[in-house]
Amino acid sequence: MHDPLPFLPKRPEQKPRPRRRLLRWLIPILIVAAALVWGYVPTATGPASGTTLQGSAIRATTRPTLRVATFNIHSGRNIGGQFDLDKTAAVLKNFDLIALNEVRGAGLLEEHDQARLLGEKLNMQWLFAPTEHQWWHDAFGNGVLSSVSAVDWQRTPLPGSSGRGKRNLIRVNVMLQGRPVSVLITHIDRGADHKKQLPLVLEEFLKVPQPAVLMGDFNGEATDPYMQPFLKAPGVKDAVGGVMGASAPADRIDWIFTRGLETVGAGVQRNDASDHPMVWAELKLP
């Protein structure tokens, strides 16, 4: 086409300014980075409660004893470093009520949380009690497995420092020969928050009506300054120590305490399903 004004200089083609080009790329990158940081940083979950566990109970409450166990399952990772919930389940057979620590929630690669998976493997009721919310889902916490019906349950967050692992206390009320038994389950921090959480949990256990059980990973041995007076408190019994005596491991940090119950048997089972032993006790009403 003929240019009608050939004598006028042509305007140069306008190119995007470098700053605009930079912003065009930088803004979406910042949005994605902020979303990743938001998803990565774990936040504490709040309190919760309910009247039933999930699944179906399979044993009668008229049986004279209650077999309990506590197990830090190490996220289902065995001592070889592999995830193997079948091995975890094999350690937990033939118990009525089980406290679980270091339980993983459902995620991108797993549809269900580990409490549910173990409950289904063992034909027991389950409850996942998350302490941390991460990557937009309940990611980590404690759990309960039960073959006796629960009357109700309650989940209470424990105080913690910013950035540290989150913790909670679970209370489950179950029936034993027509009487309610309060079962408290926890996992205490081993760092700076230990001195905040452990006294609170021990005090709460002393408040609940008897009969009562307290179990979990306390990250504290018998020489712990908070444990020493508690072990001497009226009515408090160390289930494992009461049965095993001097042969009970001196470095125990996984405990089962009772009030208003007698211990029929108890033990510490070393295993290759976790980096923690499984601790158990068989209890009855006096």
Side-chain angles (χ1 to χ4, degrees):
M1 180 178 179
H2 178 66
D3 188 347
L5 301 173
F7 53 85
L8 291 179
K10 291 186 178 180
R11 297 179 66 181
E13 218 177 286
Q14 294 212 357
K15 296 181 180 178
R17 294 180 182 178
R19 184 177 295 178
R20 288 182 179 175
R21 285 205 304 270
L22 179 62
L23 288 175
R24 189 179 300 168
W25 287 100
L26 188 58
I27 290 174
I29 289 173
L30 289 175
I31 292 172
V32 171
L36 290 175
V37 170
W38 179 42
Y40 171 75
V41 176
T43 57
T45 56
S49 61
T51 55
T52 59
L53 307 183
Q54 295 177 283
S56 301
I58 60 171
R59 63 153 273 184
T61 58
T62 54
R63 274 174 47 181
T65 64
L66 184 71
R67 287 177 55 84
V68 302
T70 180
F71 195 26
N72 183 324
I73 67 171
H74 193 47
S75 299
R77 189 183 294 115
N78 61 33
I79 58 173
Q82 295 84 31
F83 287 95
D84 191 347
L85 280 184
D86 287 332
K87 186 166 285 189
T88 305
V91 176
L92 294 172
K93 286 183 177 178
N94 302 318
F95 290 102
D96 302 315
L97 189 69
I98 302 168
L100 301 175
N101 300 133
E102 295 192 10
V103 181
R104 293 282 174 188
L108 294 175
L109 301 178
E110 182 55 67
E111 184 179 359
H112 303 301
D113 62 77
Q114 291 179 331
R116 174 172 178 168
L117 295 173
L118 287 170
E120 291 176 344
K121 289 177 185 293
L122 294 166
N123 195 22
M124 300 176 76
Q125 291 182 309
W126 68 85
L127 172 70
F128 177 46
T131 58
E132 294 183 4
H133 190 84
Q134 188 181 32
W135 298 121
W136 306 284
H137 72 284
D138 292 331
F140 188 73
N142 299 313
V144 183
L145 301 178
S146 178
S147 60
V148 293
S149 296
V151 178
D152 54 36
W153 61 268
Q154 188 175 31
R155 183 184 83 210
T156 305
L158 296 177
S161 304
S162 175
R164 291 198 62 80
K166 313 301 184 287
R167 301 286 189 247
N168 64 23
L169 175 66
I170 310 167
R171 179 177 174 179
V172 182
N173 292 315
V174 299
M175 300 299 292
L176 176 62
Q177 290 195 307
R179 288 190 61 185
V181 179
S182 298
V183 181
L184 277 63
I185 295 166
T186 195
H187 183 188
I188 302 296
D189 184 67
R190 62 182 175 183
D193 293 332
H194 184 85
K195 61 185 179 183
K196 299 177 185 177
Q197 298 169 357
L198 184 56
L200 190 153
V201 168
L202 299 181
E203 182 181 353
E204 185 64 25
F205 177 60
L206 295 175
K207 288 180 182 177
V208 298
Q210 300 183 41
V213 182
L214 169 63
M215 54 184 176
D217 179 355
F218 289 78
N219 273 310
E221 300 175 6
T223 55
D224 187 292
Y226 297 105
M227 284 288 202
Q228 289 179 325
F230 173 74
L231 288 167
K232 298 175 183 177
V236 173
K237 296 179 182 179
D238 164 19
V240 171
V243 171
M244 298 183 68
S247 62
D251 60 349
R252 274 184 299 150
I253 62 173
D254 300 282
W255 295 84
I256 298 176
F257 300 111
T258 67
R259 291 172 55 238
L261 290 162
E262 292 182 2
T263 305
V264 177
V268 177
Q269 181 183 326
R270 303 288 178 181
N271 60 86
D272 60 356
S274 172
D275 59 348
H276 281 247
M278 186 272 293
V279 180
W280 67 276
E282 186 169 5
L283 310 171
K284 71 174 184 177
L285 294 169

